[in-house]
Amino acid sequence: MNKLIAVSALVLAILALPATALAAPPEGSGLPLVVTPSPVGFEKTTVGSQSQAVGVDLFNEGEEEAPIDKIAIEGEDAAAFNLNNNGCGTIFQNQHCGLWFTFMPNSAGEKHAVVVIAFNNGRPPESFELVGTAVEPRLTFSPPSYDFGLQRVYENRNTNLQLTNSGEATVQLNNLEMLGGSGSFWTGNSNCWSQSLQPGQSCYVEVSFSPQDALAYSAELRATVNGFGFTTALSGEGGRAVIEATPNPADFGALTVGAVGATQTITVTNSGNIPAGFFIGIVAGGDSASFQLLSENCTGAELMPSSSCTAQVRFRPQDAGPKAAYMAFFGDNDGGAMIGLKGEGVAAAATLLPDAFDFGAQAAGSRGDDHDFVVRNEGTTALDLGAVAIVGGDRDQFTLAGDECDGETLAPGAECLVRVRFAPDSEDAKTARLRISTPGGTLNAALSGLGVAGPDEAGDAPAADSPRSGRRPRSHRHFGRGDSLSPRHARRARCHAFAPCRKVVDAKSLAAGH
């Protein structure tokens, strides 16, 4: 016990001596070991990292053996140094042996320790100093922050960030992690892993951004070295074109089958934050034949945020019943639009009265009185009338003396009038048809009359309406549904039997523009 206390006191005394005193051999002993290098210095080392091993050579230039009993690292910073390899036992005269030390500090600053070599033959202990400087790691991202800007939802954008060792000592990356961002940022390829970066040396990290929604996103990319973290700020915004149509659905209401409805304008607006592009616009769906896309200015150009385009659509029901289709604009990614179209086809219901009329006998080369035919819309929707014509084998024997119906649109319950005149150019029975086209089909009225010899051919012939004339008295219109006529048309029908009344009515009609 006393011997141990004495040895400890001797070690402390040696540590208190200057280096020159340590090299001087004690009186009565062999020469001390030659230590190379001495003191032992280490390169600057990052806190938490281990330096490269430094070799120390021990040379016994004395005449006595140096049997080493123990090698210890002592001092306040002893924990920062490690003896990695001890190849020394007994060092004979003029022999060498080697020791290997490393420096692994856990805090910044200059560190000192002493290596004490104890011998087992009574030789006094010898020592040499270990010196190292520890520095904190420094990593710098370039750029220090990165904004991906506006990026379409679900599309990827990549960039490479540079990571530089801006410190004073070698560092090795422990970890790269993404903080925040809701999964819209991630790291890809990198050459930073398993690489020791010397001061000023750089590596790269690939970073990707793919937004999940039309929102602003932010995150941090953190690089870690021995518990020290270094971050760069990442940001980006999700972009989406939001297409809205007005009206949607577009309701065209009820329309007579075959009729052409009014053109309706549908406005398409981009209320999103990136442009939308359309490459085709179509009308599709079960009843697409009843809807027509007449024109549009939506395809072939970018629809910028807050901008609109229009499409003109018309309804023409092919048959009766509810009709439904849709107008679709197909665009890039989620930039398309779909607009509902609906309407109802109503079967046409129209009457032409009378449906037959015999003009009676009329002298060839002369013309008879006009006769009125009335078209009435019996349906619940407007009725578009088409062409009015006289057709049949003897169509040139009858003429249109007046026409209020051709191309007209009749509201429900409304009427229009067509006047027909018989003007035979020869003797014989004549027949033809009055035809009026409607979306639901054609309306027909049979026309007949008899061409007879005139007074210049038969002598003093009796008046046409006289029983002696041999001609059948002129018949006037008789309606199966007399109450379907308007008061004006009914009055005209009654006046046809009386010439004075007819003249008054015709004069009024002319004055009114009929």
Side-chain angles (χ1 to χ4, degrees):
M1 182 66 177
N2 291 335
K3 183 178 180 181
L4 180 60
I5 294 174
V7 171
S8 298
L10 177 61
V11 170
L12 292 176
I14 292 173
L15 291 176
L17 292 175
T20 54
L22 291 174
E27 187 177 350
S29 68
L31 294 174
L33 298 176
V34 178
V35 180
T36 306
S38 181
V40 181
F42 296 84
E43 63 182 5
K44 286 185 179 179
T45 303
T46 300
V47 173
S49 295
Q50 181 172 281
S51 71
Q52 295 290 329
V54 175
V56 176
D57 179 69
L58 302 180
F59 175 60
N60 183 3
E61 64 177 2
E63 298 177 354
E64 297 180 0
E65 304 179 336
I68 296 175
D69 178 44
K70 181 180 181 182
I71 299 177
I73 300 174
E74 300 180 358
E76 183 179 353
D77 299 321
F81 301 91
N82 297 303
L83 174 58
N84 283 32
N85 182 34
N86 178 9
C88 298
T90 298
I91 307 175
F92 297 97
Q93 296 89 338
N94 296 317
Q95 294 290 317
H96 296 265
C97 74
L99 303 176
W100 293 89
F101 293 91
T102 55
F103 179 43
M104 190 173 180
N106 57 13
S107 62
E110 188 171 292
K111 308 297 180 182
H112 297 268
V114 173
V115 177
V116 178
I117 302 174
F119 302 94
N120 57 13
N121 62 348
R123 184 185 179 113
E126 299 184 26
S127 64
F128 56 90
E129 188 178 11
L130 303 176
V131 179
T133 300
V135 294
E136 291 184 353
R138 289 284 183 270
L139 292 177
T140 303
F141 280 100
S142 180
S145 63
Y146 188 81
D147 183 9
F148 285 88
L150 189 62
Q151 173 68 23
R152 187 183 297 275
V153 170
Y154 300 124
E155 285 191 356
N156 294 344
R157 183 178 294 173
N158 305 322
T159 190
N160 286 338
L161 301 182
Q162 183 173 283
L163 187 59
T164 301
N165 179 3
S166 53
E168 302 175 72
T170 302
V171 297
Q172 188 168 21
L173 190 68
N174 300 134
N175 191 34
L176 272 173
E177 59 182 335
M178 194 68 67
L179 306 176
S182 302
S184 293
F185 301 90
W186 65 91
T187 58
N189 296 326
S190 174
N191 66 345
C192 296
W193 298 110
S194 303
Q195 182 178 170
S196 294
L197 295 179
Q198 302 297 322
Q201 190 176 2
S202 300
C203 60
Y204 78 89
V205 181
E206 182 185 57
V207 179
S208 300
F209 174 54
S210 178
Q212 309 301 304
D213 207 343
L215 301 171
Y217 291 87
S218 61
E220 282 187 338
L221 175 61
R222 182 169 68 181
T224 304
V225 175
N226 301 335
F228 293 86
F230 306 91
T231 61
T232 181
L234 304 174
S235 58
E237 182 179 1
R240 173 179 283 147
V242 180
I243 306 303
E244 299 172 331
T246 304
N248 189 12
D251 190 349
F252 291 82
L255 190 64
T256 303
V257 171
V260 177
T263 299
Q264 189 167 160
T265 298
I266 298 174
T267 301
V268 178
T269 302
N270 180 5
S271 60
N273 57 359
I274 62 173
F278 306 116
F279 55 83
I280 189 173
I282 62 170
V283 172
D287 299 310
S288 59
S290 293
F291 299 88
Q292 296 172 301
L293 176 57
L294 301 179
S295 63
E296 51 88 8
N297 63 351
C298 296
T299 59
E302 278 194 322
L303 186 61
M304 303 303 292
S306 302
S307 297
S308 300
C309 61
T310 57
Q312 286 70 45
V313 181
R314 188 168 62 191
F315 180 44
R316 185 175 186 177
Q318 301 298 297
D319 49 33
K323 305 298 172 190
Y326 61 87
M327 180 174 61
F329 287 102
F330 294 99
D332 50 347
N333 296 306
D334 56 350
M338 189 171 292
I339 302 100
L341 308 174
K342 67 178 183 177
E344 183 173 2
V346 179
T351 56
L352 174 60
L353 294 176
D355 58 3
F357 186 77
D358 182 2
F359 286 85
Q362 179 70 36
S366 67
R367 62 182 185 180
D369 296 329
D370 302 345
H371 189 78
D372 293 347
F373 292 83
V374 177
V375 178
R376 179 181 176 86
N377 181 4
E378 305 286 358
T380 58
T381 59
L383 177 66
D384 293 332
L385 298 180
V388 176
I390 295 176
V391 298
D394 298 318
R395 59 183 177 277
D396 58 341
Q397 306 298 300
F398 301 85
T399 60
L400 290 174
D403 179 11
E404 301 174 355
C405 297
D406 195 319
E408 292 297 316
T409 298
L410 293 183
E415 301 171 346
C416 64
L417 190 70
V418 176
R419 297 187 187 94
V420 179
R421 180 182 300 148
F422 181 43
D425 59 7
S426 62
E427 300 177 22
D428 205 350
K430 313 294 183 182
T431 60
R433 284 183 297 114
L434 172 63
R435 185 181 68 187
I436 302 173
S437 62
T438 74
T442 56
L443 302 174
N444 292 278
L447 307 176
S448 60
L450 178 65
V452 298
D456 55 341
E457 298 178 7
D460 293 332
D465 292 339
S466 168
R468 296 183 295 109
S469 67
R471 294 174 58 190
R472 184 162 55 92
R474 179 179 299 278
S475 60
H476 298 284
R477 352 180 243 187
H478 299 283
F479 296 92
R481 295 175 58 189
D483 58 350
S484 66
L485 296 179
S486 66
R488 177 169 63 90
H489 295 158
R491 184 168 62 252
R492 286 181 178 177
R494 290 194 299 272
C495 284
H496 267 284
F498 305 98
C501 177
R502 184 168 65 252
K503 291 177 181 179
V504 172
V505 173
D506 289 344
K508 290 182 179 179
S509 297
L510 290 172
H514 296 298

